[in-house]
């Protein structure tokens, strides 16, 4: 139980294009989903918190217009990196929090490479 | 504000030896504490967690951790290392209680020598 998937697992795109990453909770409903990015040999940094049906809460320093988050249902959240640039290349990991629980379940991550 | 400090970015042990990964935290409220493991190019897998109750917590793969409030520590241990334990380990404290926001340490890479 408590499986979270991400799609795609790996994406390469040209600078200036937009990339959408999906995060799904497969066997539970997630009232809250989180998006993290992880640079090589570093820890996870929280980018934003999304609650189903409401606007995402972004951490300080994260551009909300660049990283668009949509949490349209209790099992799906999407992160769109708009007008991607090479410095956006990173490992993006989502997690989902079942309602009333304190444990986040993590997806396998999406490696984004912007050329 | 909450924070997590993991002492030692890299720990190397021999197969069969004791594993000890250190984690200290700071929190103005009773913390929820977690240990996650990350294998290369993968997401995080929960090893164990402390929320309330018993301070010695047992997790998967033979790992355990003890919450010591007086020392603000939550060190991860395993009596006997296995080659498959080689991975990156992250300690985390939950921010804002039940809302689940996590603050991560910088991680400790565990290497296991044959």
């Amino acid at each position: 139980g408590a499986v979270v998937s991400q799609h795609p697992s790996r994406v390469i795109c040209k600078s200036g294009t937009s990339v959408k990453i999906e995060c799904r909770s497969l066997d539970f409903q997630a009232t809250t989903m989180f998006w993290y990015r992880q640079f090589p040999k570093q820890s996870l940094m929280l980018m934003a918190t999304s609650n189903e049906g409401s606007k995402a809460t972004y951490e300080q320093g994260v551009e909300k217009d660049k990283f668009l988050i949509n949490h349209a249902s209790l099992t799906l959240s999407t992160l769109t990196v708009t007008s991607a640039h090479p410095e956006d290349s990173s490992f993006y990991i989502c997690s989902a929090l079942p309602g009333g629980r304190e444990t986040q379940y993590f997806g396998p991550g999406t490696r984004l490479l912007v050329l | 504000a909450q924070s997590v400090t993991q002492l030692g970015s890299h720990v190397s042990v021999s197969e069969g030896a004791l594993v000890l990964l250190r984690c200290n935290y700071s929190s103005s409220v009773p913390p929820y504490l977690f240990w996650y493991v990350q294998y290369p190019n993968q997401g995080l897998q929960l090893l164990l967690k402390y929320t309330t109750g018993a301070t010695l917590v047992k997790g998967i793969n033979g790992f355990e951790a003890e919450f010591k409030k007086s020392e603000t520590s939550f060190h991860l241990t395993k009596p006997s290392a296995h080659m498959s334990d080689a991975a990156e380990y992250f300690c985390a404290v939950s921010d804002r209680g039940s809302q689940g926001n996590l603050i991560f340490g910088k991680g400790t890479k565990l290497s296991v020598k044959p």
Side-chain angles (χ1 to χ4, degrees):
Chain A
V3 179
V4 177
S5 70
Q6 276 185 247
H7 179 79
S9 58
R10 188 180 182 91
V11 57
I12 302 173
C13 68
K14 293 182 179 180
S15 184
T17 60
S18 294
V19 174
K20 180 185 284 188
I21 303 170
E22 292 187 348
C23 176
R24 293 181 185 271
S25 56
L26 299 184
D27 51 4
F28 64 96
Q29 292 186 329
T31 53
T32 306
M33 287 185 169
F34 301 86
W35 287 96
Y36 297 84
R37 65 187 298 180
Q38 184 181 30
F39 290 106
K41 301 186 188 301
Q42 295 189 28
S43 188
L44 280 74
M45 297 300 295
L46 179 65
M47 298 175 66
T49 302
S50 73
N51 292 291
E52 186 265 339
S54 63
K55 289 184 178 181
T57 302
Y58 290 81
E59 296 299 302
Q60 193 172 9
V62 178
E63 299 176 58
K64 63 178 67 176
D65 294 330
K66 180 169 186 61
F67 298 99
L68 301 179
I69 291 172
N70 186 304
H71 193 161
S73 77
L74 287 172
T75 59
L76 173 64
S77 177
T78 60
L79 168 68
T80 301
V81 183
T82 62
S83 186
H85 288 93
E87 58 266 29
D88 298 323
S89 299
S90 188
F91 194 48
Y92 292 87
I93 303 176
C94 74
S95 70
L97 184 68
R101 303 280 297 278
E102 74 286 328
T103 302
Q104 295 181 30
Y105 295 94
F106 285 79
T110 296
R111 178 135 339 255
L112 170 63
L113 177 61
V114 184
L115 302 176
Chain B
Q2 297 178 311
S3 67
V4 176
T5 302
Q6 290 184 242
L7 291 176
S9 60
H10 192 183
V11 170
S12 181
V13 301
S14 297
E15 191 173 21
L18 171 71
V19 176
L20 171 60
L21 304 183
R22 299 178 185 275
C23 173
N24 290 87
Y25 70 91
S26 68
S27 176
S28 58
V29 298
Y32 292 168
L33 295 159
F34 304 80
W35 274 100
Y36 287 89
V37 60
Q38 184 181 34
Y39 296 99
N41 297 309
Q42 295 186 28
L44 274 66
Q45 181 182 7
L46 179 68
L47 275 178
L48 49 79
K49 63 181 178 183
Y50 168 80
T51 53
T52 58
T55 56
L56 181 61
V57 180
K58 294 185 185 298
I60 62 172
N61 301 341
F63 284 94
E64 62 182 37
E66 186 171 10
F67 169 58
K68 293 187 177 181
K69 184 178 178 180
S70 61
E71 299 178 8
T72 61
S73 69
F74 191 57
H75 302 330
L76 181 71
T77 61
K78 181 174 180 177
S80 177
H82 193 272
M83 296 296 290
S84 61
D85 295 326
E88 188 92 23
Y89 291 81
F90 291 96
C91 180
V93 61
S94 180
D95 190 11
R96 301 173 217 166
S98 60
Q99 289 189 34
N101 291 30
L102 288 173
I103 308 298
F104 283 91
K106 292 188 176 182
T108 298
K109 183 176 181 179
L110 175 66
S111 299
V112 181
K113 300 175 291 186

